[in-house]
Amino acid sequence: MMRRIKAMGGEAGQSLVELALTLPMLLLLVLGTVDLGLGFKTYIALTNAAREGVRWISIHPDDPAGALARVNAETERIGLLYGDIGSDSDYTVNFSPLKDAYSAGEEVTVTIQYDYELLFGAITGLPSIPFSAHATMMVLYDPPAP
């Protein structure tokens, strides 16, 4: 009878050891999935912001500032802050070609660049992933005459 009780006590310790060995891997898998999901959400928002900016230019060819405001409004929804190229900003916006007014039939591209910081970058050794989202459309109307 004593032997049976001792054997059962050893199995409980084995379960704790198995849990201690597998729990870090399971947590890493779950947290990595969350991190990649948030990154995908950010990339989709950046693509939508680029699309909104170039759409604004295609309808209002003499208002690049309005297009930038549309991009900013879309990226603010996910908590990104706009800054000039070369500053400590979250993302940068480029218009190609860069003009004050565009003419009908001209193609305009809006590109947004952002370094997505991984939540668990220290564990993976990859602190951030560079995202670049762009959209291209043709300008539909000529700007109104002054």
Side-chain angles (χ1 to χ4, degrees):
M1 184 87 168
M2 288 296 261
R3 287 185 185 182
R4 190 173 197 157
I5 294 173
K6 286 182 182 180
M8 293 175 102
E11 290 177 10
Q14 178 185 356
S15 298
L16 286 175
V17 170
E18 289 174 357
L19 178 67
L21 291 174
T22 58
L23 188 62
M25 289 185 283
L26 289 174
L27 283 175
L28 186 63
L29 183 66
V30 169
L31 296 176
T33 303
V34 169
D35 202 7
L36 289 177
L38 290 173
F40 190 64
K41 179 189 107 176
T42 302
Y43 181 74
I44 289 173
L46 291 175
T47 303
N48 188 48
R51 197 177 308 122
E52 283 292 320
V54 77
R55 182 179 170 276
W56 184 266
I57 285 289
S58 72
I59 297 171
H60 307 282
D62 58 344
D63 189 17
L68 186 59
R70 295 290 293 210
V71 169
N72 291 339
E74 287 297 316
T75 54
E76 283 177 9
R77 291 183 190 191
I78 59 168
L80 301 181
L81 302 174
Y82 175 71
D84 294 328
I85 296 173
S87 68
D88 293 335
S89 63
D90 281 353
Y91 66 95
T92 56
V93 179
N94 296 317
F95 292 90
S96 176
L98 183 59
K99 296 181 176 180
D100 290 335
Y102 300 91
S103 57
E106 191 174 0
E107 283 191 351
V108 181
T109 301
V110 173
T111 304
I112 302 174
Q113 296 172 343
Y114 174 68
D115 286 333
Y116 176 70
E117 294 183 15
L118 294 169
L119 297 174
F120 304 102
I123 296 171
T124 62
L126 184 66
S128 65
I129 299 174
F131 286 161
S132 180
H134 67 276
T136 303
M137 286 189 184
M138 187 176 295
V139 176
L140 299 176
Y141 310 107
D142 280 323

